[in-house]
Every structure is written in structure tokens, then in C-alpha cells.
Amino acid sequence: MWIQAPLDASQIDLINRLQAGVVPSPTYPLTCPNAKDGQHAFAAGYVGVLVAQRRGLVCPTCGHTQSWLPASVLACAQREPLAAAGNQRQRMERARQRAIADFSALLRQGYLSAQSMVESLQSASLPVDDGHLAASHAPDDPTRVPALAALAA
């Protein structure tokens, strides 16, 4: 089964968190088919990570757009963590912070397609010990990357 663009806001958020490894059971992210050209950025631990947007999965470096993805990708993002996997919250928070830094750097370099990834990760909720989700950032958090309009100013 396939998911076709346009993607809705909840799909974009879930796919971007999966792409950045900010889910309980991360998988290898979907990457750009052009990533081996030596020009693609390293972000979230991989070269050429695609960013979910309304129009599909977009490469922030070259603009390649993939308008479909397997439905199993969303299932991977929603599966339960392995009990022996250790402290998931710490691992996910480290992955989230690393990905925010990487994709924010891409934004500052002019790769505007990275914006939806930054927004998804800044609003991400991480599981707490009892399995419920807790907001990871307060609205006035100084680590948040400014909106695209503020970067352009």
C-alpha cells in the first residue's frame, strides 16, 4: 500500500520525526537517489535525508521530490520500542537536537526545503516513562530556530 502526496500535517510531522530518528524504534531514513553525487548535505546522521512536505518527500539539497512512500513507513514510526533498547527518551532527544542543528544549518545556507523538518522537530513530543507524550519545548524556548521570515530579514 502506498501513501501519495499531498501529505497532511500529521503525516508530515510523523514522517519528519521518523526521518530524523525521533521515534521509539528508528529505521534507516528515506534518502535522495542523487545523494552519492558528493554535493548532498549530511543531516540527522545520513547523507541526503528527504524532508516531508505537503507535496511529498523533498531533498533539501537538490530539490528531488518523491510524491509517494510505502505505508509501512508510517507503521514503523508508530511501533513500540524494544524493551531492551535502553532509555528511549534520552536517545530520541539527542537525535532530535542533532537533527534540529543539522537542518537549521541547511536553512541558514539557503536550503529552504529544510524548514518543515525544523518545524516538526521543534514541536515534537517525546514519550515519558509511563508511555505518554510530553511536550519537549516550551513556546519561549531559546533553542528554537526562528521562522523562515525572520531568517530572511
Side-chain angles (χ1 to χ4, degrees), residues 62-151:
C62 73
H64 168 81
T65 302
Q66 180 175 312
S67 62
W68 56 270
L69 68 148
S72 61
V73 169
L74 291 182
C76 288
Q78 297 169 329
R79 70 181 172 204
E80 293 297 317
L82 300 172
N87 190 330
Q88 290 295 319
R89 182 170 169 71
Q90 287 180 353
R91 183 201 54 78
M92 289 169 54
E93 181 59 22
R94 282 192 310 269
R96 189 179 75 80
Q97 292 296 330
R98 179 183 64 232
I100 287 173
D102 292 346
F103 285 98
S104 295
L106 287 175
L107 264 178
R108 287 188 297 275
Q109 294 170 20
Y111 297 108
L112 303 181
S113 297
Q115 179 71 32
S116 65
M117 176 68 83
V118 172
E119 290 171 355
S120 291
L121 295 174
Q122 287 179 335
S123 65
S125 295
L126 300 178
V128 292
D129 293 335
D130 62 1
H132 292 91
L133 295 178
S136 57
H137 281 294
D140 59 349
D141 186 343
T143 64
R144 290 182 63 90
V145 172
L148 186 56
L151 287 174

